[in-house]
Amino acid sequence: MIPKEMINSYKESVMKFGRFVEDMFDRSVYALVDRNADMAKEVIEDDKLADKMRDELNEKTIIMIGEYAPVGKQLVESVNGFILENALEMIGDKSVQIAVETLKLLKEPSLKPLVDLPKMASTAEKMMRISLDVYKDESNAYAIEELLKMEEYVDELNISIEDELKLYMMESPKNVSRALSLMFISKHIEDIADLCLKVIPKRPL
């Protein structure tokens, strides 16, 4: 059986990683909305640290399972942590990709006012916080329904954004590269919302 203090320390490390990735995502969106190239570059640079944190957590998970051979709830918690670690790392990657597309967009004037993209990002950020809370305290599992509704809302916004950007692309070839970058960003945010659902705890049989 894994000592309780080891599990608590492990969960705190996962939460620390989650907060770091959440900050990366928040700053990637701020860089887009505020047209801040320096912040976008900082997010890209932070990917190295995110990868390092993920690797360290994966190693801790493997050591816990290898040394203590947990069963039942403890095994499920270890597996949930492993799933979460990798989902968070992918969210960090998506944040970097948003920052990369932002740097491309900053080379030209704004194509259009950003209205729905910030709404998508704000909803995805809330999903991240709720997902981490569910991981930390399974008694918050009632929030799963809320997560599903929010994910559906993000999907709807993504479709709306794509439809609008296609009109810009048809309007002029000059709009194509900027519209595509905004489409990519919208899809990355949708992917982040989907990844938040991977955090939902799996319960032992």
Side-chain angles (χ1 to χ4, degrees):
M1 180 177 290
I2 305 173
K4 187 174 181 180
E5 58 270 18
M6 181 178 285
I7 292 177
N8 290 339
S9 174
Y10 171 73
K11 280 196 169 186
E12 184 54 42
S13 294
V14 174
M15 294 296 292
K16 182 180 178 181
F17 182 37
R19 289 189 288 269
F20 181 81
V21 170
E22 181 184 343
D23 183 61
M24 281 181 68
F25 177 46
D26 180 63
R27 285 184 290 125
S28 72
V29 175
Y30 179 87
L32 170 69
V33 174
D34 204 50
R35 295 181 66 82
N36 189 322
D38 290 338
M39 185 165 289
K41 292 174 183 176
E42 288 175 7
V43 172
I44 294 170
E45 185 63 26
D46 280 347
D47 187 46
K48 297 175 184 176
L49 181 54
D51 288 345
K52 184 174 182 290
M53 293 173 76
R54 189 278 315 272
D55 291 343
E56 290 174 351
L57 279 169
N58 281 353
E59 185 176 350
K60 285 183 180 180
T61 306
I62 292 169
I63 290 173
M64 281 197 306
I65 294 175
E67 287 190 3
Y68 295 95
V71 296
K73 183 178 180 181
Q74 283 197 339
L75 177 60
V76 172
E77 286 181 340
S78 299
V79 172
N80 285 341
F82 189 78
I83 292 171
L84 176 53
E85 293 156 23
N86 289 284
L88 288 172
E89 195 269 336
M90 286 188 278
I91 291 173
D93 287 344
K94 294 292 179 182
S95 301
V96 169
Q97 289 164 1
I98 290 170
V100 169
E101 293 300 332
T102 293
L103 290 177
K104 292 179 185 177
L105 287 167
L106 295 184
K107 295 176 182 178
E108 301 182 70
S110 295
L111 177 64
K112 61 181 289 297
L114 299 180
V115 179
D116 286 342
L117 272 174
K119 291 179 184 176
M120 280 184 74
S122 176
T123 303
E125 287 175 20
K126 289 177 185 175
M127 289 181 69
M128 280 192 67
R129 287 192 289 271
I130 293 172
S131 297
L132 288 168
D133 286 343
V134 171
Y135 168 74
K136 187 175 182 180
D137 181 5
E138 290 186 26
S139 65
N140 289 329
Y142 68 88
I144 291 172
E145 288 187 14
E146 183 180 359
L147 279 173
L148 292 171
K149 290 178 182 176
M150 294 168 82
E151 193 266 343
E152 184 177 344
Y153 175 64
V154 169
D155 287 346
E156 291 172 356
L157 285 176
N158 181 54
I159 292 171
S160 175
I161 288 169
E162 284 190 356
D163 289 344
E164 182 183 13
L165 290 171
K166 286 175 183 175
L167 294 177
Y168 276 91
M169 292 169 72
M170 289 187 287
E171 184 179 290
S172 171
K174 294 181 181 179
N175 296 336
V176 172
S177 63
R178 286 173 293 172
L180 283 175
S181 284
L182 290 171
M183 277 187 181
F184 291 149
I185 290 172
S186 180
K187 185 63 173 66
H188 292 323
I189 295 173
E190 183 196 31
D191 289 342
I192 287 172
D194 290 341
L195 285 165
C196 289
L197 298 180
K198 291 184 179 292
V199 184
I200 296 174
K202 308 294 186 296
R203 300 187 182 281
L205 298 176

